[in-house]
Every structure is written in C-alpha cells, then in structure tokens.
Amino acid sequence: MEKFADIQSLLKGYYNIDFPTSIFQLADFLQNYPEEELEIDLGTVHVSPSGLLSLILNPKLLTENFKKLALLHFRYYRDLPEFFTYLHGDCDGLHWGLLLDDPSVGFRGAASYYNNDGDQITVYSSIFSALIDRCEEELEYCDECLADFPEDEDEDYLETKSRINRFLERIQDYIGKHSIEIVENRVESVSSDSGLGLCVPEKFRRNESSKVYSQDLRKDTIYSVCSIERLLTQSSANAS
C-alpha cells in the first residue's frame, strides 16, 4: 500500500524480506478504526498489535539499535523460524504470526499458539481469517456464559457480544471494500503433530506422509523448509 511505502522499504532493509500486503492492510484497518472505540474493541477480543504490526503502526520503533537485533525482536522461545509475530493475546504467551514456509513463494497464511503451555499450533488461511476466527471464538465463549451463568449477569455478556459483533462487521466490511483474498492457498505437504505442517517445494517431496523433526532442547521443534532444502540439497550432492 502506497501510504506504507516508507515503512515497507525500511522493513525490507532490516529483514531482507518482502512482507505481504495483508499486514499493511491490517494496519490500515486499525488506523482507520474509530479512535475512541479501537482500544475497547481490541480489548474485548483480547488481542493487541505486536511484532511487525506494532512496527508498522509506530515506525519510530525502527531505530538503528533495533536494526542490530531485528531478527530477534518479538520472538518467543518456541517460535519456528518461519513464524513472524504480529499480534499477541491476553494470557499464556498466546500470539499470532505470519508464515514464511517457502521464501521463493512468500508469506502465506498465519498461525497462533500459546507459548507457555505447549498446546498445538492453530493454522489459518490468512491474517484476516485469523482475526475473524478470534472474534467467533469470543462470541462462542459469550454464548456459553449466557447459558451457564445467572440471568443477572446476562447484560455484561450481551454488551460484550455487541462490541465483538461491531468489530467483526467492520473487519468484514473492510475485506469486502478492498476485495481482500482471505484464503492464501497455503498447502501443507508434510504433516506434523505440532499442528503446523510443512509446505515443502514439490522438487523436494519424497514421502508426503512422513514427519520431520529436529531433536534439540525444544520438544518436537520442526525444521523450517529452508533447513530442509539445505539438508536435501547437501544429501543429493553427497550421493552423486
């Protein structure tokens, strides 16, 4: 997006990666949200800008000191190499990230997980679909509370539902207005019991039913596709 051209250029200089249009569209959506309602509505769905999104919204954070440690910023202990944080939640290290499985193709899809409890990774077709899913989760929780708790508490949950629906409707309106594609065709070809499979380039695919793990200090940490490419290329060279 043209309004973010300068920050887009800075980020590319720091990371040597072209970040997707969708992350700048999400920033644009938040910047144009009614200011007096933004903090309330984000708080209602329990998300806040973090990582890349916070840098786009506040370019003053991009200093020379930041550049020295750019690749380490906003990374959680269990983050995979292809995971780039852009939102965080309200507890247990919950955060969302863009996915860069195959640098030759670019960013596709998004994922989230709780860093502190070892839960599985949840994968989404795009960052906007991830935000929609979050809203729907919170609406479902409100409905459960309305069914389980006394009627004198209904008013609070009904008000919460109203705010979530307002936020959700504005997201959907923005998606429609800008013809945003919320399915980014991220196709996993190697499964994983972490919840996040691998998108391996076709030329490197051998056994699609296999699972690929590394055995380091983090339990069941999966190699990134970049690492797999290097390993397979080296293996082929040695074999010849």
Side-chain angles (χ1 to χ4, degrees):
M1 300 182 72
E2 188 174 347
K3 65 182 283 188
F4 294 111
D6 290 342
I7 183 68
Q8 202 166 0
S9 177
L10 280 172
L11 286 172
K12 182 175 182 179
Y14 288 165
Y15 290 92
N16 196 28
I17 296 171
D18 286 312
F19 288 99
T21 301
S22 58
I23 190 68
F24 299 99
Q25 290 172 323
L26 180 55
D28 181 61
F29 167 73
L30 295 177
Q31 283 186 341
N32 288 285
Y33 205 89
E35 186 176 354
E36 68 279 4
E37 297 172 355
L38 178 59
E39 185 174 350
I40 294 172
D41 289 0
L42 287 176
T44 302
V45 294
H46 305 295
V47 299
S48 299
S50 182
L52 292 168
L53 186 57
S54 64
L55 294 175
I56 296 168
L57 293 171
N58 186 8
K60 292 181 180 179
L61 295 173
L62 288 168
T63 64
E64 283 302 312
N65 286 334
F66 172 87
K67 184 176 180 180
K68 295 175 183 177
L69 297 172
L71 295 179
L72 300 179
H73 275 253
F74 311 109
R75 297 203 65 80
Y76 290 68
Y77 179 71
R78 296 176 58 227
D79 279 358
L80 300 170
E82 57 265 45
F83 189 101
F84 289 73
T85 299
Y86 68 92
L87 280 179
H88 69 79
D90 59 337
C91 66
D92 293 328
L94 173 61
H95 60 301
W96 288 257
L98 301 169
L99 295 175
L100 184 65
D101 302 278
D102 184 352
S104 67
V105 176
F107 287 90
R108 291 175 299 175
S112 70
Y113 74 96
Y114 291 86
N115 183 72
N116 300 348
D117 69 2
D119 198 13
Q120 279 199 338
I121 298 171
T122 301
V123 180
Y124 312 93
S125 59
S126 67
I127 63 174
F128 278 97
S129 64
L131 198 52
I132 290 171
D133 187 84
R134 179 63 170 179
C135 291
E136 291 174 345
E137 282 183 358
E138 294 297 322
L139 286 172
E140 184 177 343
Y141 173 74
C142 286
D143 286 337
E144 291 173 357
C145 291
L146 286 167
D148 293 341
F149 291 104
E151 290 186 7
D152 59 1
E153 298 183 22
D154 283 1
E155 186 174 345
D156 290 339
Y157 289 110
L158 290 173
E159 183 178 354
T160 298
K161 283 191 66 174
S162 177
R163 290 174 182 166
I164 297 171
N165 279 317
R166 175 176 69 188
F167 187 63
L168 182 57
E169 287 171 7
R170 286 174 174 166
I171 294 170
Q172 293 169 332
D173 287 345
Y174 185 88
I175 290 171
K177 179 180 178 180
H178 296 276
S179 302
I180 296 172
E181 179 58 64
I182 64 170
V183 178
E184 296 175 346
N185 297 319
R186 179 182 177 275
V187 180
E188 296 180 355
S189 55
V190 179
S191 63
S192 161
D193 61 5
S194 73
L196 176 65
L198 297 178
C199 301
V200 180
E202 187 172 357
K203 63 181 178 179
F204 293 120
R205 295 177 193 171
R206 293 181 178 177
N207 181 1
E208 294 192 359
S209 64
S210 65
K211 295 181 179 180
V212 183
Y213 299 103
S214 69
Q215 297 298 320
D216 66 356
L217 295 177
R218 294 173 293 174
K219 181 182 178 183
D220 292 344
T221 300
I222 306 172
Y223 279 116
S224 70
V225 69
C226 303
S227 301
I228 292 174
E229 287 193 19
R230 287 196 296 270
L231 289 170
L232 292 176
T233 301
Q234 182 179 358
S235 176
S236 298
N238 292 339
S240 61

